[in-house]
Amino acid sequence: MSTAAEHRASCDEFVAHIHLLCAEPGIRVRLSQGRGRPVEECAPMDRYLSRRTAHRQGRRAYYTVASLIAMAGPQTHTPGVRTDTDTDPAPHDGPQDDPASILVAPIQPAPTAAPDPTAWYARPNLGATLATAVRRAGHGPERTESLLHVLTRLSDDQLHRRLPAPVARLMKDSITPDWGVLLHDLVQRPYRRDQVGLRWRDAFYLATPEPRRT
């Protein structure tokens, strides 16, 4: 069984892999077809995700996040996972456009420095991202607060079905969730719903102004 730090690192590795896949337009389309759907209804995604998710807890979370990243497009980057500039791949003797090479491409190992749990929890979760939308993109504070409370109360199935709409609005306003943190929270939520919901609400309220007293 992996440690908490290893699981957090695996979330970032999965996100980096999905970004790599989404560089191929055809694959990006197939991954985007899973928005809001349970894993059993996402057959077009299986050839790209089964090898990495078949025996993982919270498998639907991986499919949901993959579909959301695909919806965002290839220029979306996750803090701490992808750099802001792309470099041309080194030439090699094999065919560069072979989809099979994408499926088995290894994730580059992360730096060997000991992971810092404090740094992980300093990254923005969904609540912090919604607070950013209020501060930077003019999302209504009360309406966004209400949305957050609805999302924290939904069942897991309803949450996965509901997420694409608010996430699409965030990205339309150039606000991208931290996909690794979102994936981690969605995996944890079936077992720790109250804790995940509290983290989201705390992050939202700590990053938005206190309401005026009337």
Side-chain angles (χ1 to χ4, degrees):
M1 181 177 295
S2 64
T3 66
E6 289 171 342
H7 180 249
R8 290 192 290 265
S10 74
C11 289
D12 280 343
E13 290 172 357
F14 179 82
V15 168
H17 180 66
I18 298 304
H19 276 294
L20 176 64
L21 292 176
C22 285
E24 293 290 328
I27 298 176
R28 190 166 68 249
V29 169
R30 294 185 186 96
L31 294 181
S32 69
Q33 292 172 352
R35 294 193 301 272
R37 296 181 178 180
V39 174
E40 295 79 6
E41 298 177 8
C42 297
M45 303 173 71
D46 290 341
R47 68 178 300 193
Y48 308 108
L49 303 185
S50 287
R51 294 172 180 83
R52 292 173 178 264
T53 66
H55 303 293
R56 286 187 170 182
Q57 289 183 331
R59 186 177 182 183
R60 188 173 182 180
Y62 294 89
Y63 276 64
T64 291
V65 170
S67 68
L68 294 177
I69 294 173
M71 180 176 69
Q75 279 73 41
T76 302
H77 302 285
T78 300
V81 177
R82 288 170 62 85
T83 59
D84 291 332
T85 57
D86 293 326
T87 57
D88 292 330
H92 57 82
D93 296 333
Q96 296 186 12
D97 296 328
D98 181 4
S101 67
I102 298 176
L103 296 179
V104 300
I107 295 296
Q108 293 298 321
T112 56
D116 181 359
T118 304
W120 170 268
Y121 286 107
R123 289 165 56 175
N125 61 31
L126 183 60
T129 304
L130 291 173
T132 299
V134 171
R135 298 194 317 269
R136 283 182 17 200
H139 290 207
E142 293 183 0
R143 184 174 180 179
T144 306
E145 178 184 11
S146 177
L147 169 65
L148 175 61
H149 279 271
V150 168
L151 294 177
T152 59
R153 293 196 303 266
L154 290 174
S155 69
D156 291 306
D157 177 67
Q158 291 173 325
L159 178 63
H160 284 274
R161 294 182 184 276
R162 181 76 179 267
L163 265 180
V167 169
R169 187 184 177 201
L170 288 169
M171 291 189 293
K172 182 179 179 181
D173 291 325
S174 301
I175 299 171
T176 303
D178 186 317
W179 301 119
V181 173
L182 180 60
L183 173 58
H184 178 269
D185 286 347
L186 292 179
V187 171
Q188 295 291 312
R189 193 175 185 271
Y191 316 100
R192 299 181 176 89
R193 180 188 301 183
D194 292 342
Q195 294 178 20
V196 171
L198 179 60
R199 286 204 303 269
W200 290 358
R201 293 193 302 272
D202 280 348
F204 178 82
Y205 289 121
L206 290 172
T208 52
E210 186 172 355
R212 296 179 180 178
R213 296 181 180 179
T214 57

